[in-house]
Amino acid sequence: MALAELGAVVLDCPDPRALAGFYAEVLGGTVESGEGGGQDADWVDLTVPGGRSLAFQAAPGHVPPRWPAPEGSQQFHLDLTVDDLDAAEKGVLALGARPLDTEDRSRSWRVYADPAGHPFCLCAC
């Protein structure tokens, strides 16, 4: 029996509304202000299709993880499943993502950083 249920995955970032907007464009869904309300909210929620949530929390002095970094940790990353890897790549780059790994284009996954520097993967289904 489970002791808990996952509520949301929370990403620290310098600008919660901007990062929520990035992921809303990538995943779809609805952005809602949380703590602090309005444009300068310290917490912003994104409810994605299917009812799952991502949350974004203001973190003054946020230092994004480095990938790859043998001396450090990526902390976590999101795997996002896509039907067309090339089309999805074009879309996330246009939204402000940057590639982190362009060495092997034959794989079924590619690694990027979101605008706040968090790594995520696009994975072909």
Side-chain angles (χ1 to χ4, degrees):
M1 177 168 87
L3 296 176
E5 181 179 312
L6 179 64
V9 174
V10 182
L11 285 78
D12 285 356
C13 58
D15 184 342
R17 180 154 296 282
L19 195 57
F22 170 83
Y23 279 106
E25 290 293 325
V26 173
L27 299 170
T30 305
V31 175
E32 300 173 14
S33 293
E35 296 175 24
Q39 287 291 86
D40 298 323
D42 291 336
W43 182 284
V44 176
D45 291 305
L46 171 63
T47 302
V48 298
R52 292 194 174 107
S53 293
L54 283 176
F56 306 89
Q57 175 176 275
H62 170 71
V63 176
R66 290 184 47 222
W67 188 96
E71 72 284 355
S73 168
Q74 69 175 321
Q75 300 169 14
F76 84 100
H77 72 273
L78 300 173
D79 282 348
L80 308 178
T81 304
V82 300
D83 291 324
D84 183 331
L85 201 49
D86 292 327
E89 176 180 65
K90 183 178 178 182
V92 298
L93 294 175
L95 292 169
R98 61 184 169 80
L100 293 178
D101 181 12
T102 59
E103 295 171 15
D104 186 354
R105 304 295 285 178
S106 67
R107 294 185 308 224
S108 62
W109 50 274
R110 299 177 189 164
V111 185
Y112 306 85
D114 68 24
H118 303 101
F120 70 95
C121 295
L122 295 178
C123 305
C125 50

